[in-house]
Amino acid sequence: MTGSFYLGSFSKVLFPALRLGYVVVPHEFDSQVHRVREALDLFSPLLYQLVLTDFLKEGILPGICAACVAIYLARRNALIAAIREHAGDVLTIENTGRRTAPGDLHPRGRR
């Protein structure tokens, strides 16, 4: 087996009611994953799939993702600032390297 499976959803990026996701799999698993999806899924409405396809072809999604990252980063920074201001005497924040996650919280003096 080579490569990785990657699962994602457009619901979090675009809007929750969309309920469309995707899976990226190594080529050797294409047919197996397709069969499993057909057996388990009720299929997303064709209209949603067609609209999303046009949306992706127009190249709008990268701009939306960049805007989302900027919003999440601002929220992350606000959360970190609030924790430091209001709980800095009892908590420390260790950066996890993720841009939109606040990091790991630890009781001060314990790790």
Side-chain angles (χ1 to χ4, degrees):
M1 179 170 137
T2 61
S4 299
F5 286 61
Y6 183 78
L7 301 166
S9 170
F10 292 103
S11 299
K12 292 180 181 172
V13 177
L14 298 175
F15 55 95
L18 185 59
R19 310 268 313 146
L20 287 176
Y22 55 91
V23 59
V24 179
V25 300
H27 181 68
E28 62 263 26
F29 294 100
D30 283 350
S31 60
Q32 294 97 324
V33 170
H34 185 74
R35 283 195 305 271
V36 169
R37 185 198 185 281
E38 285 182 336
L40 297 178
D41 198 4
L42 296 174
F43 297 99
S44 300
L46 183 59
L47 178 62
Y48 291 176
Q49 294 179 54
L50 293 172
V51 170
L52 180 61
T53 299
D54 286 345
F55 184 79
L56 293 172
K57 284 180 180 178
E58 290 177 15
I60 299 170
L61 187 61
I64 290 175
C65 289
C68 289
V69 169
I71 290 168
Y72 297 152
L73 188 57
R75 289 178 182 174
R76 170 197 179 269
N77 292 340
L79 176 61
I80 289 172
I83 290 171
R84 287 184 175 149
E85 179 181 346
H86 299 287
D89 57 332
V90 294
L91 293 173
T92 59
I93 300 174
E94 182 179 308
N95 188 347
T96 61
R98 296 174 299 208
R99 292 180 60 198
T100 55
D104 294 332
L105 292 174
H106 302 282
R108 187 164 289 285
R110 295 184 194 170
R111 288 207 181 179

